[in-house]
Amino acid sequence: MRFIDEAVVTVKAGDGGNGIASFRREKYVPRGGPDGGDGGSGGDVYVIADDNTNTLVDYRYTRRYDAMRGENGHSRNCSGKGSEDVFLSVPIGTTVIDTETDEVIGDMTEIGQTLLIAKGGDGGLGNTHFKSSTNQAPRKATSGFEGELKILKLELKVVADVGLIGLPNAGKSTFIRQVSSATPKVADYPFTTLVPNLGVVDIGIHRSFVMADIPGLIEGASEGAGLGIRFLKHVARTRRLLHIVDIQPLDGSDPINNARIILNELERFSPELANLPQILVLNKTDQVVDEEELNELCDRIVSELGWTGVVFRTSTLTGDGVDPVKYHLMNEIELEREREIEEPAFAEAQKARFERLEAEVRRNTDAQREAYRAARKAQREGTDLADDDFDDDDGVEVIYTP
């Protein structure tokens, strides 16, 4: 199944049924009076968070969803039947946005959470409602109200406590395989991970957290290069970022420069995102046999980066040093969860921070996408070619035509 994390759908709630103008017509009942019933209500449209769904791929093929209209009213004061509601299943972590107002309608973060996204129209009134002492035979009835029509954008962000970041082939996929039952593809070439992978890290009884393996970033990801424009947003919901650095890359690149590339891309993409707590993991220590050389290399990386946070050394291939990382993460996450329960002010601050982060990430992602589309359009139309690109002094006559 393809991993689709964005979709635009049109939803139309059902219109209300019409009320009718009707009169009692029974034998031996002269002047029976009005008995027109009301119309039924149109169906509502809801989204519901479903843990059996992990992608928005269905909404790439079916892009419009309509609820049925309510029945018209009947005689003998019988109201029309209301229409059934429509429920759209989305994965946990889906944000629903109104494209017209750019308003976030809701955030689906819990299993079974239900959100009304389009309200069905109320039914019209039958002529019974218009009876009075001065108008005992009203012939007036009203039409049903229209249901809401909305064009919505569905955005899926993985719901994880820890996000793995780093250049391609830094060892992120191998790390998540070591600490969880997730089985992302692992190979010795870049971009083996093309979609985010989730893994549950189980520490013990009732102690676990969710880790997300985000596809590798590259230089320029904040401007749309590689996979960054699509998947940087997935780290917006995480509590911690685990920055994995290959201390001795096979391509001979400098690990310090590689680490700075990731830090710079985070800062460019979203300053709020760059301020998330980060843990540095110096990976692939098994490739340096001499312990003294290993210590010098690791110390130089930490020193030149000016890193003042927590640092771990690991070999995700052999599993050395992996357990201390996951226990540290578990303790940090538990402390933060407990503080959110005990301190309402801290919980509100955390919520506000994530809301700012998501708004910034969404704004930057949309801006990058529009810039990319504009550049591609200019390239197709040839408007990005400057006059200086042509040399008229080479003895060839150049004729410019409109």
Side-chain angles (χ1 to χ4, degrees):
M1 179 183 293
R2 294 178 60 197
F3 179 83
I4 302 296
D5 59 354
E6 287 187 1
V8 177
V9 296
T10 301
V11 295
K12 174 67 169 67
D15 297 335
N18 300 327
I20 68 166
S22 174
F23 296 90
R24 291 179 61 187
R25 304 189 185 283
E26 301 176 28
K27 194 175 182 179
Y28 308 119
V29 183
R31 298 171 182 165
D35 67 349
D38 301 338
S41 299
D44 301 329
V45 182
Y46 294 86
V47 293
I48 182 170
D50 183 5
D51 61 340
N52 293 320
T53 305
N54 55 15
T55 178
L56 297 172
V57 65
D58 291 341
Y59 302 106
R60 280 295 181 95
Y61 301 107
T62 305
R63 296 182 179 236
R64 183 175 177 110
Y65 297 85
D66 294 79
M68 300 295 291
R69 72 185 300 274
E71 284 187 357
N72 294 334
H74 304 283
S75 59
R76 299 186 181 181
N77 292 317
C78 292
S79 297
K81 181 181 179 181
S83 178
E84 294 184 356
D85 300 328
V86 172
F87 292 86
L88 308 182
S89 296
V90 297
I92 298 173
T94 300
T95 302
V96 183
I97 304 167
D98 189 328
T99 59
E100 182 176 356
T101 62
D102 205 30
E103 175 191 1
V104 177
I105 299 178
D107 212 4
M108 314 303 291
T109 57
E110 299 178 1
I111 298 176
Q113 180 182 350
T114 304
L115 175 68
L116 175 65
I117 56 175
K119 177 68 177 173
D122 293 330
L125 301 178
N127 64 338
T128 304
H129 290 274
F130 301 99
K131 179 181 178 181
S132 67
S133 59
T134 58
N135 185 12
Q136 297 186 6
R139 299 182 180 276
K140 177 181 178 182
T142 61
S143 301
F145 293 89
E146 290 188 358
E148 291 182 318
L149 172 67
K150 290 185 179 180
I151 301 176
L152 303 175
K153 183 178 181 181
L154 305 178
E155 287 187 354
L156 172 61
K157 297 186 184 71
V158 296
V159 180
D161 298 296
V162 178
L164 298 179
I165 58 174
L167 287 178
N169 271 23
K172 301 184 300 298
S173 297
T174 309
F175 186 93
I176 200 172
R177 289 172 72 104
Q178 284 280 2
V179 300
S180 72
S181 58
T183 56
K185 183 178 181 180
V186 174
D188 59 354
Y189 55 85
F191 296 107
T192 52
T193 303
L194 298 178
V195 299
N197 291 293
L198 291 180
V200 177
V201 182
D202 191 2
I203 303 298
I205 300 177
H206 304 305
R207 298 188 73 202
S208 64
F209 62 90
V210 179
M211 179 177 288
D213 172 21
I214 306 299
L217 308 179
I218 62 173
E219 189 169 10
S222 61
E223 299 174 356
L227 303 175
I229 194 172
R230 286 197 58 195
F231 297 124
L232 257 177
K233 62 185 179 182
H234 286 284
V235 298
R237 292 181 185 268
T238 57
R239 298 174 181 267
R240 297 287 187 277
L241 296 179
L242 203 61
H243 186 175
I244 298 183
V245 178
D246 183 352
I247 64 172
Q248 204 167 54
L250 294 177
D251 59 2
S253 59
D254 183 11
I256 299 170
N257 183 58
N258 292 343
R260 285 175 178 159
I261 287 174
I262 298 300
L263 296 175
N264 290 338
E265 292 306 318
L266 287 178
E267 182 67 33
R268 290 173 184 169
F269 182 76
S270 167
E272 193 79 34
L273 182 60
N275 287 330
L276 281 177
Q278 288 190 42
I279 296 170
L280 183 65
V281 176
L282 304 179
N283 191 33
K284 301 188 181 180
T285 55
D286 58 290
Q287 295 184 4
V288 183
V289 179
D290 185 75
E291 187 172 350
E292 184 177 347
E293 182 183 351
L294 175 63
N295 291 334
E296 290 179 359
L297 176 59
C298 292
D299 291 341
R300 183 173 67 87
I301 293 174
V302 173
S303 175
E304 295 194 23
L305 283 177
W307 192 270
T308 58
V310 181
V311 181
F312 288 96
R313 302 180 187 181
T314 65
S315 169
T316 52
L317 182 63
T318 64
D320 292 340
V322 171
D323 285 345
V325 179
K326 68 179 186 180
Y327 282 112
H328 173 81
L329 289 170
M330 186 74 262
N331 292 334
E332 290 285 308
I333 293 169
E334 284 181 336
L335 289 174
E336 192 167 290
R337 289 172 179 171
E338 291 172 2
R339 188 178 176 190
E340 288 176 353
I341 295 174
E342 297 172 356
E343 302 179 26
F346 177 74
E348 286 297 322
Q350 287 284 86
K351 181 180 178 182
R353 184 184 72 168
F354 284 118
E355 288 177 352
R356 289 196 307 272
L357 181 57
E358 290 206 13
E360 187 178 71
V361 168
R362 185 179 304 109
R363 184 171 58 252
N364 292 348
T365 302
D366 291 342
Q368 291 161 5
R369 185 180 292 108
E370 291 302 319
Y372 175 76
R373 289 173 178 169
R376 289 294 301 273
K377 182 179 179 181
Q379 188 178 24
R380 290 194 302 269
E381 296 177 351
T383 56
D384 60 339
L385 299 178
D387 291 341
D388 294 340
D389 293 339
F390 299 95
D391 187 1
D392 296 340
D393 299 326
D394 57 359
V396 178
E397 182 182 7
V398 179
I399 302 175
Y400 296 93
T401 60

